[in-house]
Amino acid sequence: MSDSPVSKRTKTFAGLMLLFLLTLVFFFLGRAYFRVAAALAILFGLLGIVLTVQTFRTQEPRLHRLCFLTTGIAATMIPTSAVLHNLVYALCILLFGERFWSDGSDEPFFFFLAIVICPALFVFGSIASAILLIRERFSR
């Protein structure tokens, strides 16, 4: 018996929430668990892609699609922005020398996306999506 696209998407959403919590736990445990946190972050980003694709394949109200797309895209952009931050920083050092960032800082745009904007969008989208799922379940 196959699940409906909405049911599969809901299971992916639940897995994404679990991976988010596990990634946070290992991230805050310190440097000893950095590789585990990095692997979980990669899985988190990939599952964000899956959630986004599954949301595009479902036929549902616009608000549901918007909330789940916000969650999936933000989940994908967190690890992507972290990688882009490091790549842009390394590319600028390669092209312009180590003293390119004269005040000792580094590339701020993708760092700000990875640390502030995308996690905030992810939390907002997750809460909104969870509320919609709970409301839908109680309305049946």
Side-chain angles (χ1 to χ4, degrees), residues 27-82:
F27 179 75
F28 285 115
L29 284 176
R31 287 183 168 242
Y33 296 101
F34 177 76
R35 289 184 179 173
V36 175
L40 288 173
I42 291 169
L43 290 174
F44 177 74
L46 293 174
L47 203 55
I49 293 171
V50 171
L51 180 67
T52 303
V53 169
Q54 287 176 337
T55 301
F56 276 124
R57 290 184 176 178
T58 60
Q59 297 297 323
E60 57 189 352
R62 184 180 296 179
L63 182 61
H64 289 238
R65 290 175 63 92
L66 178 67
C67 292
F68 283 104
L69 283 174
T70 300
T71 304
I73 292 170
T76 302
M77 286 305 298
I78 292 171
T80 304
S81 295

Side-chain angles (χ1 to χ4, degrees), residues 23-131:
T23 304
L24 280 179
V25 167
F26 280 102
F27 179 75
F28 285 115
L29 284 176
R31 287 183 168 242
Y33 296 101
F34 177 76
R35 289 184 179 173
V36 175
L40 288 173
I42 291 169
L43 290 174
F44 177 74
L46 293 174
L47 203 55
I49 293 171
V50 171
L51 180 67
T52 303
V53 169
Q54 287 176 337
T55 301
F56 276 124
R57 290 184 176 178
T58 60
Q59 297 297 323
E60 57 189 352
R62 184 180 296 179
L63 182 61
H64 289 238
R65 290 175 63 92
L66 178 67
C67 292
F68 283 104
L69 283 174
T70 300
T71 304
I73 292 170
T76 302
M77 286 305 298
I78 292 171
T80 304
S81 295
V83 169
L84 285 173
H85 159 72
N86 290 322
L87 288 176
V88 168
Y89 182 60
L91 183 64
C92 286
I93 288 175
L94 183 69
L95 293 176
F96 305 113
E98 288 186 32
R99 297 285 178 207
F100 178 71
W101 305 105
S102 60
D103 61 353
S105 65
D106 59 8
E107 187 280 320
F109 179 74
F110 290 111
F111 183 76
F112 191 69
L113 278 178
I115 300 300
V116 178
I117 302 297
C118 292
L121 284 173
F122 176 77
V123 169
F124 172 77
S126 298
I127 291 171
S129 299
I131 289 171

